[in-house]
Every structure is written in C-alpha cells, then in structure tokens.
Amino acid sequence: MLDDIRYIHCLNRSRIIQQHLNDCRDERRPYVFITDTMTLSTFNSQLSPSGATTLHSTLYTLNSILVPISMLEEEVYKSEICTYLARKTGAEILLLLANDYGTKAKQNLDKIITHIEKVKERTGEDIRYRVLQAKKNSFSLAKEAVERQSEWKNDLLILTASREYGLDDILFGPPERHAIARSRVPVMLINPRADLFSLCD
C-alpha cells in the first residue's frame, strides 16, 4: 500500500536532511523526502512549523516518475517500486540512462524494462514508460536528473541511497543529500542492500 512508504517532511537545511538520511540507513521501506522548497502539488504536504518528520502521508496522482539508471547493480531495485507506483497512480516512467562507455547501465536498463514488460503481460495493464538518454555519466547522473526536471516535468525522482559513505560523502555530503536539497519535486530513496529492500504490496 502507498501508505506503507515512509514520508519525511523537513526543512531544506543540509544538517536536517543529513540527519534524516542517517536515521534511514536501515530503513526497509522506500522513503520520500519532501522539503519546504519543493513543488508539492501531488502530495499531502502540510509541513509542521517545527519541520518535524511526518511518517504517513497520502500520495495523490503522479503524471511522471523520473528514474535515473546508472552502472550500479542496485539500480535494478528501482524496477519494482517504479512499476508499482505507475500501476497505482497511472504515471509514466521516465528511465534516464547514464551516458557511460561501459554496458552496465544499459544492462540495468534492460532488466528494468524486462520487469515492466512482464508485469504488463501478467496484469494486462498499460504501464507507460520512455527511455531518455542522459548527457552525463553514472557519477553525475543524479545531478543531471535534478537539473533537467523542468524539461521533463516529472513529479517524483527515485534514487538509490549510497551503499556506504566514503570520505568525500562525510566531508561534503552524499549525492542524495545534494539531490534532495536541489530537487524541485519530492525524492524517493531506496536503500541499496537487498536485505534491506522491502516492497509495499
């Protein structure tokens, strides 16, 4: 159910966003960040004056979901959640393929498309999706996804969280923190370890 997704309403402050990211490191559910600077037309987005976390919100109709696909193997986890959301809301899935020299991102894309097609065949539902070609590679893909949101008019961005925090992430913040801070729409994160991933039925 959509209400099983964790919703985090917070102020757009790096320290606050990072604290919530730290709190969600072992979260099994997908979790959505909604900050006070995002466009919230598709969400029940009443932010409390204190910026406190709200765990349960209602997701309304989405028109499109942007799903960046990089070379990381955990990107495939996005297939189930984006297909689920598309079925429940009627949204079009925008699959943004990284502009890499290697084939790993393309292989991840193919696996996601295969999953979508299998669900379409099994359910008979019209699940719409498009493949978009990114200009940047896997390392800059989340940044491009945020920068080009106005062009694609997506209502939700789905990212995988960093598997581990390296020194750069500790000093300057992980990529997902920067994406949340700059995004004009809510950002859904999925933890990258299979033992932590649990799809809402």
Side-chain angles (χ1 to χ4, degrees):
M1 295 176 61
L2 292 174
D3 285 344
D4 290 333
I5 296 171
R6 179 174 178 176
Y7 296 85
I8 299 168
H9 296 250
C10 67
L11 301 175
N12 192 349
R13 304 287 185 273
S14 293
R15 180 182 57 80
I16 294 174
I17 294 172
Q18 188 61 57
Q19 182 58 58
H20 286 300
L21 287 172
N22 294 341
D23 292 343
C24 291
R25 294 294 285 170
D26 293 326
E27 180 63 74
R28 298 190 75 243
R29 301 170 292 174
Y31 47 105
V32 178
F33 274 81
I34 305 172
T35 73
D36 59 323
T37 59
M38 291 176 176
T39 302
L40 305 171
S41 58
T42 56
F43 284 82
N44 178 9
S45 56
Q46 189 64 34
L47 184 68
S48 69
S50 64
T53 299
T54 301
L55 297 182
H56 300 287
S57 299
T58 303
L59 180 61
Y60 297 123
T61 301
L62 294 171
N63 293 315
S64 63
I65 304 165
L66 184 58
V67 185
I69 309 298
S70 75
M71 63 181 180
L72 299 175
E73 61 181 342
E74 53 260 28
E75 296 290 73
V76 178
Y77 298 154
K78 295 176 181 177
S79 61
E80 294 188 45
I81 190 64
C82 71
T83 304
Y84 171 84
L85 288 173
R87 291 178 63 199
K88 295 298 182 183
T89 67
E92 180 181 30
I93 303 169
L94 305 177
L95 300 169
L96 179 61
L97 177 63
N99 188 15
D100 291 344
Y101 288 112
T103 61
K104 290 183 178 179
K106 180 63 167 60
Q107 291 171 358
N108 288 338
L109 174 69
D110 291 341
K111 290 177 183 178
I112 292 174
I113 290 175
T114 297
H115 175 80
I116 295 171
E117 290 293 340
K118 284 182 178 179
V119 173
K120 287 176 65 174
E121 182 179 350
R122 187 181 76 244
T123 64
E125 295 175 316
D126 180 24
I127 303 171
R128 299 173 297 127
Y129 66 90
R130 278 190 290 153
V131 177
L132 306 172
Q133 181 60 60
K135 298 177 182 178
K136 298 182 179 180
N137 62 23
S138 290
F139 299 104
S140 302
L141 189 62
K143 182 179 179 181
E144 179 176 354
V146 171
E147 290 174 346
R148 300 180 68 185
Q149 286 177 333
S150 296
E151 175 184 342
W152 293 316
K153 297 180 174 60
N154 60 289
D155 302 308
L156 179 70
L157 173 62
I158 300 181
L159 301 174
T160 48
S162 297
R163 183 179 289 271
E164 302 291 345
Y165 286 160
L167 182 59
D168 284 351
D169 298 323
I170 294 171
L171 292 176
F172 305 110
E176 57 268 29
R177 190 183 87 189
H178 296 290
I180 292 165
R182 295 170 180 161
S183 180
R184 69 171 185 83
V185 300
V187 178
M188 174 179 283
L189 292 175
I190 300 173
N191 277 331
R193 301 200 308 276
D195 61 310
L196 289 178
F197 181 69
S198 176
L199 181 66
C200 317
D201 292 323

